[in-house]
Amino acid sequence: MADDDSHWVGWHRMYEIDGSALRQRLVIVQRHLRAALDARPAGVPTRILSLCAGQGRDVIGVLREHPVRELVRARLVELDSQLVADCRAAVAQDATCAANIEVVEGDASISDCAAGAVPADVVVACGIFGNISDDDIRAFAALVPMLCAPNATVIWTRHRRPPDLTPQVRAWFVDAGFEELAFESPDERGVVGVGVHRLVGPPRPLESGVRLFTFVGDGGVF
């Protein structure tokens, strides 16, 4: 890692390592994002909102090739300036992505980041829950309907290291008006956990200035 690289830039380099947990997680997230797009009614536009999007690999990787990509409008929100630059460079490599993906350098922990991009049909919240408190995860599950369109899909990640919080996270989403579509944790170490929930309760209007979560520690936990 170069001396001027941020902690997060160095963390993202694990995506380049064959067999890494991040690479494994990316494959799972992309598969569920494709499935969410496949399930959309034919010809209907789709909005995607990705929070703490990093280099945008999950969304960009899917939209480079998906058959309905012309109908998708996505906003990717990331705070780290180098990751934003990497994300914008990746988007620029594909004309459709460049036209349909908006990369915003901003704070995804405040609801204002979603203004103009919601209600979203897919909300991607990957790499967040391992870096915030249990109370904040529960609060996020209760608040995320304000980002959602009816029947929206939320894709989230959280490691399963002891004490494994993912059963409680899954229950919190159900309590908040979601039904579970999938949960995957394929590695024995419990590093990777990917959850997918669909909103079956009513969406909520977006409120400005609402804190969705607060990062704690050094970050970089799955």
Side-chain angles (χ1 to χ4, degrees), residues 48-53 56 58-59 75-78 108 122-125:
I48 298 174
L49 175 65
S50 180
L51 305 175
C52 298
D58 39 21
V59 175
R75 177 180 291 179
L76 280 53
V77 184
E78 172 57 45
V122 183
V123 176
V124 181

Side-chain angles (χ1 to χ4, degrees), residues 33-151:
L33 180 53
R34 289 189 190 97
L37 294 178
D38 291 342
R40 297 284 295 158
V44 175
T46 299
R47 280 180 166 180
I48 298 174
L49 175 65
S50 180
L51 305 175
C52 298
Q55 295 169 327
R57 293 173 185 249
D58 39 21
V59 175
I60 297 169
V62 170
L63 293 188
R64 278 177 176 160
E65 61 185 28
H66 199 279
V68 303
R69 67 201 199 113
E70 298 277 0
L71 294 171
V72 177
R73 299 294 181 271
R75 177 180 291 179
L76 280 53
V77 184
E78 172 57 45
L79 189 59
D80 185 283
S81 59
Q82 182 57 58
L83 294 179
V84 170
D86 293 344
C87 189
R88 287 175 175 160
V91 167
Q93 293 175 9
D94 181 278
T96 300
C97 288
N100 296 349
I101 298 177
E102 176 191 16
V103 181
V104 173
E105 183 173 350
D107 187 353
S109 70
I110 305 296
S111 61
D112 298 55
C113 75
V118 295
D121 303 291
V122 183
V123 176
V124 181
C126 296
I128 297 175
F129 291 176
N131 300 292
I132 65 177
S133 70
D134 297 359
D135 287 343
D136 268 10
I137 300 174
R138 183 174 188 174
F140 180 88
L143 290 169
V144 75
M146 76 167 61
L147 308 179
C148 293
N151 302 309

Side-chain angles (χ1 to χ4, degrees), residues 19 29 45 53 70 88 97 104 116 144-145 151 155 180 185 190 196 200-201 216:
V29 171
E70 298 277 0
R88 287 175 175 160
C97 288
V104 173
V144 75
N151 302 309
I155 303 172
E180 184 172 277
S185 181
V196 185
V200 292
V216 295

